[in-house]
Amino acid sequence: MEGMHTTLSSTGAASRRLLARLRDVMAGSGTGQDRLDKIVMLIAAEMVADVCSCYVMRAGEVLELFSTLGLNKDAVHKTRLRVGEGLVGDIAAHARPIALDNAPSHPNFAYRPETGEDPFQSLAGVPILRGGKVRGVLVIQHADRRHYTEEEVETLQTIAMIVAELVAQGELVDPQEVFSTGDAALLPARLSGVPLNAGLAMGHALVHRPQLTIRQMVADDAERELERLAGALSAMHSAIDDLLAAAALAGLGEPRDILETYRMFAEDRGWLSRIREAIHMGLTAEAAVQQVQNDTRARMSHLTDPYIRERLLDLEDLSNRLLQHLAGKRSEADGGTLPEDLVLVARSMGPAELLDYDRKRLRALILEEGSPSSHVCIVARALDIPVVQCADALTRIEPLDHLIVDGDHGAVFVRPAEDIQMAFTESMATRSRREQEYAATRSLPSVTRDGVPISIQLNCGLLIDLPHLAASGAEGIGLYRTEIPFMVRHTHPDVQQQTELYARVLDEAGDKPVLFRTLDVGGDKMLSYISAGAQENPALGWRAIRIGLDHPSLLRQQLRALLRAAAGRPLSVMFPMIAEVAEFDAARAILDLELRWLERRGAEPPSRVRVGTMIEVPSLLWQLPALLQRVDFLSVGSNDLMQYVFASDRGNPRTANRYDPLSPPMLTLLRRLVEASRDAGKPIGVCGEMAGRPLDAMTLIGLGFRSLSMAPQSVGPVKTMLRSLDVAALRKYLVQLTQGGDHSLRPKLRAFALDHGILI
């Protein structure tokens, strides 16, 4: 141990000496090219390398040799490599270091005769990173075959941070060359994106750029920097605690749980130890935070797992927040010059960053990276803020640009023309009038024009959704998604935590029924503490009840919590993604086991337990008679059922809208489900997205469904529609309509609605 400590100490001392000399070069006179040439010479001398070269990113993702010691000088500004071409291009493409003792033998090696690099066998290269993007590549080479140590590669990465500062200053390449969108940026534009939270809003762009420019990269006193880091961490933790307290006062429910998780992540030992190691290498506290941030972002940016992506966004938020505290600066959200109607535009955001902004001014949020289940979107939904994900937002939107955000259709209008503004102003006014009309129907019965009662219920997954139960006039909760509290925690919530949550849901619902769906994770909703491994087709893989049956303790704990939470009240439980009756029997047996366990301990059981299943997997359709003997009810999950019926991935843009739920095959299937359930005397409802669309809901009622569960904002439009509907006339029309071979019946159904005065 003592020998190891000595080696590390000497390595750290050498790194600090090199960084100090680089700092002097950066502070010296001369052009950017002059300083880059000096840096290359210094690196070669200090690392005893035969070659040191720096490649800088140019427009079109081309890496240009900008400076070298050891290669042919005539190749400077002439040798160019595309991203992905050669070893240098491979480093840029994957944003990761390479260290090879026999570089010419590597399959990605690209020989360029003009450089004169024939004699050099070994190569180590690192990406030059700035703002999460590769701005170039730094390379050293040796004539002999040698092994590069981990410490040498880390030193090269640290040096690359300083070169990144030189590149970012614009003295080598005009930043506009690589990132400019041209003169068209000043013209009106319509950006297409993905709707993450519905709504319409207008306002002025506030570009959220939380990262600070770091002026001093190298520190002389590591202990002093560690003290500064500790002080900034303490201040950051206090600020997060203040946000937690504010969220509690505002009654934000699950968003507060998300902040709790965020607070725990701020104490992650791995993240903090990597920052401290970088300080020991000779960086300032700010530079150390940025180095760890850049490295993590580059390594994780290609990953698609939703949980990992969410952790990366949390880390981005925390890193930026920590940099603010180190610099002693207030967040830009605290500024007094913010527009009165602001639309936040950001590459990504953490939940705490969003809450930093004045909610009275905040109109909408545009993200380059995000998903409906991301923490910031959950908080935005709780605050009723429209959210759109738009991949090129930051390159197309300038600060204070006038924006229109259409969260219903995933569109952003940048610098809209006056006629577009007037049209959207009218749309927003119409929307407001309609919402007032929908509010007026809240107390009216959900009965069709010819007297058919329809039960309208809510889909919920957050405590913040529950006030909508009374406000919307819904009769109950037809789907309570229990997975969100599992997704926002680093560890599995225990029985007591779950019991308290489910009891609060039942308390808030009062005498209105609540239907709890057991844990439905997997696919695009993985948990950090349950690894599914690599799955080629996650939507068809290890998910939902399959996880529950393979981890019976997980399912038992959830069912135990639900039974305890009910305590004398009726309980309805629904199992997701049942593919065969045997799976339902196995899940029901676990529920019965927990019910007996509860009774043996003298705890008060539910007054009544109803058990059902989701109809999502088509195989279950051929076991309906056996299934209907066992269940108390059925609920159609139209989203998954449709993708499985048509073998069409609803997450794939090329297939998501290729098939229509209002098509003959789907409507025929749904009618047969209704008929089988009616013959067995078992209720059946729909809780998928089509239940919340007025035209689709009209069709479902015509097929015989009498219970529809939907998002809170859909209740008004659907209730208004059904009160103008004559079911008998629609039923007759549907019988003849489904006999044909149409791709979609939507146009004909819309025409029927218009002809019969149905308000869709």
Side-chain angles (χ1 to χ4, degrees):
M1 286 294 293
E2 186 175 339
M4 182 181 293
H5 178 74
T6 303
T7 302
L8 290 174
S9 298
S10 60
T11 301
S15 298
R16 287 193 292 274
R17 182 178 66 250
L18 174 56
L19 290 173
R21 296 185 65 184
L22 289 172
R23 180 182 59 190
D24 293 340
V25 171
M26 287 287 289
S29 59
T31 66
Q33 182 71 56
D34 292 338
R35 278 179 284 163
L36 181 61
D37 292 340
K38 291 177 183 177
I39 289 172
V40 165
M41 293 175 60
L42 184 57
I43 296 169
E46 288 289 337
M47 302 193 75
V48 197
D50 298 315
V51 173
C52 180
S53 305
C54 181
Y55 295 80
V56 177
M57 188 74 75
R58 301 299 300 259
E61 292 199 318
V62 173
L63 293 154
E64 180 180 310
L65 178 63
F66 252 69
S67 183
T68 186
L69 177 72
L71 297 183
N72 188 343
K73 291 287 187 182
D74 291 338
V76 173
H77 298 306
K78 294 180 181 177
T79 295
R80 293 189 169 197
L81 294 162
R82 296 186 304 274
V83 170
E85 180 184 5
L87 294 174
V88 170
D90 188 69
I91 294 168
H94 297 95
R96 64 187 179 199
I98 286 179
L100 303 169
D101 60 2
N102 187 6
S105 68
H106 194 279
N108 288 344
F109 182 80
Y111 176 63
R112 289 302 179 88
E114 74 272 13
T115 64
E117 60 181 338
D118 310 56
F120 306 108
Q121 295 293 309
S122 307
L123 178 146
V126 299
I128 299 170
L129 299 168
R130 175 73 176 180
K133 296 180 180 178
V134 176
R135 303 299 179 93
V137 174
L138 189 62
V139 176
I140 59 171
Q141 294 173 266
H142 287 80
D144 57 326
R145 294 179 61 173
R146 66 186 295 268
H147 171 72
Y148 293 101
T149 67
E150 187 176 328
E151 288 79 8
E152 286 175 314
V153 174
E154 288 179 355
T155 298
L156 206 57
Q157 286 179 296
T158 304
I159 295 168
M161 283 189 63
I162 294 177
V163 179
E165 293 302 314
L166 185 60
V167 174
Q169 290 172 8
E171 296 183 52
L172 299 174
V173 176
D174 185 350
Q176 294 302 312
E177 175 190 317
V178 182
F179 302 110
S180 174
T181 57
D183 295 335
L186 299 176
L187 300 175
R190 183 187 189 278
L191 311 183
S192 295
V194 178
L196 300 183
N197 193 39
L200 293 176
M202 285 199 295
H204 292 86
L206 178 65
V207 179
H208 179 74
R209 301 187 192 277
Q211 192 172 48
L212 297 173
T213 299
I214 298 173
R215 301 298 180 189
Q216 185 173 350
M217 307 294 294
V218 184
D220 297 322
D221 187 347
E223 291 303 319
R224 169 61 184 149
E225 295 305 305
L226 289 171
E227 289 175 7
R228 293 182 60 237
L229 175 66
L233 283 168
S234 177
M236 182 178 75
H237 291 159
S238 296
I240 295 173
D241 288 340
D242 291 342
L243 278 175
L244 279 166
L249 289 174
L252 287 183
E254 259 80 9
R256 187 179 186 278
D257 293 340
I258 290 168
L259 291 176
E260 293 274 14
T261 306
Y262 177 87
R263 173 68 161 83
M264 292 169 59
F265 194 61
E267 298 172 346
D268 181 76
R269 292 183 179 180
W271 177 57
L272 295 175
S273 66
R274 290 172 63 204
I275 294 173
R276 293 186 180 109
E277 286 172 11
I279 291 175
H280 281 298
M281 291 290 289
L283 294 180
T284 62
E286 291 89 343
V289 172
Q290 184 174 299
Q291 182 188 35
V292 172
Q293 182 183 20
N294 284 341
D295 183 56
T296 304
R297 185 192 296 150
R299 290 173 184 271
M300 295 174 65
S301 61
H302 66 287
L303 301 176
T304 58
D305 181 88
Y307 182 83
I308 295 177
R309 298 289 298 172
E310 191 57 46
R311 300 288 72 70
L312 178 58
L313 293 180
D314 282 346
L315 184 58
E316 290 270 314
D317 187 349
L318 285 166
S319 298
N320 295 329
R321 191 172 292 269
L322 183 54
L323 287 171
Q324 295 280 357
H325 285 285
L326 280 167
K329 293 185 177 180
R330 298 188 309 165
S331 165
E332 62 185 274
D334 296 331
T337 59
L338 298 181
E340 286 298 320
D341 51 350
L342 65 91
V343 175
L344 274 181
V345 185
R347 188 176 66 82
S348 62
M349 287 189 81
E353 284 182 301
L354 183 65
L355 290 174
D356 280 338
Y357 288 89
D358 184 351
R359 284 171 240 169
K360 294 178 181 177
R361 300 184 183 189
L362 188 55
R363 301 290 179 263
L365 174 63
I366 302 170
L367 299 170
E368 286 196 336
E369 300 176 4
S371 70
S373 59
S374 67
H375 291 173
V376 70
C377 285
I378 291 173
V379 173
R381 201 170 298 125
L383 300 175
D384 197 24
I385 297 170
V387 185
V388 171
Q389 184 218 339
C390 186
D392 55 352
L394 288 175
T395 59
R396 304 289 297 276
I397 298 172
E398 296 293 328
L400 296 180
D401 271 347
H402 189 208
L403 302 177
I404 294 173
V405 179
D406 183 354
D408 296 338
H409 302 97
V412 176
F413 295 82
V414 185
R415 298 172 292 275
E418 189 173 347
D419 57 336
I420 299 291
Q421 294 183 43
M422 291 175 63
F424 262 86
T425 300
E426 180 58 32
S427 294
M428 293 175 69
T430 301
R431 186 188 187 99
S432 178
R433 287 194 298 270
R434 283 182 180 173
E435 288 176 354
Q436 292 174 8
E437 292 169 3
Y438 297 151
T441 68
R442 181 180 63 185
S443 58
L444 299 176
S446 299
V447 179
T448 66
R449 198 167 63 190
D450 54 346
V452 178
I454 306 295
S455 176
I456 293 186
Q457 303 191 10
L458 295 187
N459 293 340
C460 297
L462 297 166
L463 289 174
I464 195 68
D465 292 330
L466 294 179
H468 293 298
L469 188 54
S472 66
E475 296 177 18
I477 297 174
L479 171 64
Y480 192 90
R481 304 179 179 95
T482 60
E483 53 269 13
I484 290 179
F486 288 78
M487 294 172 64
V488 301
R489 288 177 166 86
H490 289 295
T491 58
H492 172 255
D494 60 28
V495 173
Q496 184 58 36
Q497 290 171 324
Q498 292 186 61
T499 301
E500 292 173 358
L501 172 62
Y502 305 145
R504 284 184 64 187
V505 173
L506 291 169
D507 290 343
E508 292 281 343
D511 59 354
K512 294 186 177 181
V514 179
L515 199 166
F516 291 96
R517 182 180 68 188
T518 60
L519 192 60
D520 187 7
V521 294
D524 61 346
K525 297 182 290 187
M526 284 310 302
L527 305 179
S528 63
Y529 42 88
I530 298 179
S531 174
Q535 299 192 85
E536 188 170 342
N537 295 300
L540 304 177
W542 195 56
R543 53 176 295 200
I545 199 63
R546 297 168 182 176
I547 294 177
L549 294 177
D550 288 350
H551 282 274
S553 62
L554 193 72
L555 183 57
R556 285 191 66 176
Q557 288 185 32
Q558 183 174 32
L559 293 173
R560 183 177 300 178
L562 285 165
L563 291 167
R564 285 173 54 179
R569 295 176 285 197
L571 176 67
S572 296
V573 177
M574 178 166 64
F575 298 117
M577 207 176 173
I578 295 289
E580 58 180 3
V581 167
E583 286 180 334
F584 178 82
D585 288 343
R588 177 64 190 256
I590 294 175
L591 175 63
D592 292 339
L593 181 68
E594 286 302 318
L595 191 56
R596 291 194 296 272
W597 183 92
L598 191 72
E599 291 170 346
R600 283 198 304 270
R601 279 153 182 77
E604 185 179 14
S607 60
R608 182 177 59 139
V609 178
R610 297 171 67 246
V611 187
T613 184
M614 300 274 287
I615 299 292
E616 300 169 285
V617 184
S619 59
L620 208 52
L621 301 173
W622 283 270
Q623 285 193 298
L624 273 179
L627 179 68
L628 286 164
Q629 292 176 12
R630 291 163 166 82
V631 299
D632 297 307
F633 62 88
L634 294 176
S635 185
V636 177
S638 59
N639 304 352
D640 272 335
L641 179 60
M642 183 175 157
Q643 80 166 338
Y644 298 143
V645 164
F646 288 106
S648 175
D649 180 6
R650 60 191 174 102
N652 184 334
R654 294 192 176 188
T655 61
N657 297 313
R658 188 179 185 90
Y659 304 99
D660 195 331
L662 299 186
S663 61
M666 192 71 173
L667 297 188
T668 300
L669 183 157
L670 292 170
R671 176 189 283 118
R672 290 175 181 171
L673 274 172
V674 170
E675 291 170 350
S677 300
R678 185 181 60 230
D679 293 344
K682 301 294 173 68
I684 184 170
V686 180
C687 61
E689 287 183 7
M690 66 183 298
R693 297 191 288 260
L695 185 64
D696 298 45
M698 178 195 81
T699 308
L700 291 170
I701 293 170
L703 293 172
F705 287 94
R706 298 296 177 258
S707 178
L708 305 176
S709 190
M710 60 201 69
Q713 62 267 26
S714 298
V715 173
V718 170
K719 198 173 193 180
T720 300
M721 175 278 299
L722 71 86
R723 287 181 56 82
S724 64
L725 170 65
D726 186 319
V727 180
L730 174 61
R731 187 165 53 239
K732 292 177 183 177
Y733 181 65
L734 279 171
V735 169
Q736 53 182 303
L737 198 60
T738 54
Q739 305 301 315
D742 302 65
H743 167 68
S744 171
L745 301 175
R746 190 173 296 274
K748 293 179 180 178
L749 288 164
R750 180 174 285 109
F752 175 89
L754 295 175
D755 290 344
H756 290 76
I758 301 170
L759 302 176
I760 58 169

